């Protein structure tokens, strides 16, 4: 078989992929979706009513990922950068309008991530009715662990999720406190976008978000997945 080498006019971006625990295989990343305000207490700390909202979504870029417990460089343009520890769903099979009772069949595995946020810029964007990218989708804004396949960890519907900064507990919750659980998230998201294998979904953060500074060590933990450790540099 022969193939024609494409004549790109600039160098194509490399494929971004995440290690898969217990395997030499890699998970190629297509899109990163994030769920906003998906724990009641965090929704309240951000000034909203958790009882009256459908889930909503924003995106990060796949090249915003920081893998292998790499450092998080303090980003430009902000004086108020927050951590948000989040369980991440890795989609193994795509689809549209996926019913909740079939949703878990579309999950390849789970990971733990940090939805790093330039809170000051996000706040200004919200106030001005502008999109959130400036606050959410910046370079290095998505530290993430390897992906634990469902075959290894099962489906995660409960279990402690927490974040320490410099050894001090800042965020503490349980996956069973998710307002929209994994099947509910997949149902809603797949009614808006066509999901495909390779998509990652950050499922939202428990209460206790706060600011970090250079030199801080962020350590996240989630039962069933393990830990992530990221230094702010
Ligand atoms: Mn978040």
């Amino acid at each position: 078989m022969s193939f024609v080498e494409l004549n790109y006019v600039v160098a194509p971006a490399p494929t971004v992929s995440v290690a898969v625990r217990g395997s030499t295989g890699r998970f190629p990343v297509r899109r990163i979706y994030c769920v906003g305000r998906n724990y009641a207490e965090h929704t309240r700390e951000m000034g909203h009513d958790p009882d009256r909202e459908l889930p909503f979504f924003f995106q990060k870029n796949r090249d915003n990922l920081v893998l292998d417990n790499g450092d998080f460089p303090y980003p430009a343009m902000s004086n108020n950068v927050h951590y948000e520890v989040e369980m991440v769903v890795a989609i193994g099979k795509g689809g549209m309008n996926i019913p909740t009772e079939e949703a878990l069949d579309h999950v390849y595995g789970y990971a733990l991530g940090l939805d790093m946020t330039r809170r000051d810029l996000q706040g200004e964007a919200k106030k001005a009715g502008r999109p959130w990218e400036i606050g959410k989708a910046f370079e290095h804004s998505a530290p993430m662990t390897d992906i634990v396949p469902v075959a290894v960890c099962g489906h995660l519907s409960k279990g402690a999720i927490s974040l320490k900064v410099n050894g001090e507990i800042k965020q503490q919750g349980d996956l069973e406190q998710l307002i929209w659980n994994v099947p509910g998230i997949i149902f809603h998201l797949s009614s808006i976008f066509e999901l495909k294998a390779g998509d990652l979904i950050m499922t939202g953060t428990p209460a206790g978000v706060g600011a970090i500074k250079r030199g801080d060590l962020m350590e996240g933990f989630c039962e069933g997945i393990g830990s992530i450790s990221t230094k702010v540099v």
Side-chain angles (χ1 to χ4, degrees):
M1 213 167 92
S2 68
F3 69 96
V4 177
E5 204 174 316
L6 294 175
N7 182 24
Y8 295 115
V9 296
V10 298
T15 300
V16 174
S17 67
V18 182
V20 174
R21 196 163 313 166
S23 159
T24 53
R26 310 268 312 172
F27 182 89
V29 180
R30 191 183 81 112
R31 294 183 183 167
I32 304 176
Y33 294 102
C34 307
V35 187
R37 302 198 283 261
N38 202 20
Y39 287 79
E41 220 178 305
H42 172 65
T43 304
R44 282 186 213 104
E45 81 181 344
M46 299 307 289
H48 299 271
D49 178 354
D51 296 329
R52 293 279 58 94
E53 281 190 325
L54 283 176
F56 69 93
F57 304 94
F58 58 91
Q59 291 184 43
K60 290 184 186 255
N61 304 294
R62 57 188 164 198
D63 61 354
N64 297 153
L65 286 169
V66 175
L67 301 171
D68 305 318
N69 290 323
D71 291 340
F72 172 75
Y74 199 96
M77 305 292 293
S78 178
N79 294 307
N80 191 19
V81 178
H82 280 201
Y83 49 78
E84 297 187 355
V85 68
E86 311 200 358
M87 188 265 277
V88 182
V89 177
I91 295 293
K93 187 175 90 178
M96 283 202 78
N97 300 312
I98 298 168
T100 49
E101 59 273 18
E102 290 171 21
L104 293 180
D105 300 340
H106 293 256
V107 176
Y108 174 81
Y110 297 91
L112 186 63
L114 302 177
D115 168 15
M116 298 306 297
T117 302
R118 292 194 282 210
R119 193 72 75 200
D120 42 3
L121 300 187
Q122 183 200 24
E124 287 165 24
K126 281 182 187 173
K127 226 180 288 170
R130 290 183 186 145
W132 284 16
E133 278 93 339
I134 192 170
K136 290 289 195 179
F138 55 93
E139 271 56 59
H140 313 286
S141 61
M144 201 171 287
T145 64
D146 56 355
I147 290 167
V148 188
V150 170
V152 173
C153 65
H155 285 292
L156 303 183
S157 57
K158 57 181 195 273
I161 180 169
S162 62
L163 183 99
K164 288 183 201 171
V165 178
N166 303 329
E168 190 187 325
I169 283 276
K170 298 288 189 183
Q171 294 190 271
Q172 217 166 6
D174 193 290
L175 298 178
E176 70 186 355
Q177 298 164 335
L178 283 169
I179 296 172
W180 298 95
N181 63 12
V182 174
I185 291 168
I186 290 174
F187 168 76
H188 281 284
L189 186 57
S190 72
S191 71
I192 306 168
F193 299 103
E194 182 175 0
L195 291 181
K196 292 202 172 173
D199 290 344
L200 296 173
I201 309 169
M202 304 188 75
T203 57
T205 197
V209 299
I212 42 86
K213 58 184 186 320
R214 284 182 188 82
D216 284 348
L217 180 67
M218 303 182 286
E219 294 171 289
F221 173 79
C222 184
E223 232 176 297
I225 299 168
S227 320
I228 185 170
S229 173
T230 301
K231 193 171 186 194
V232 184
V233 297

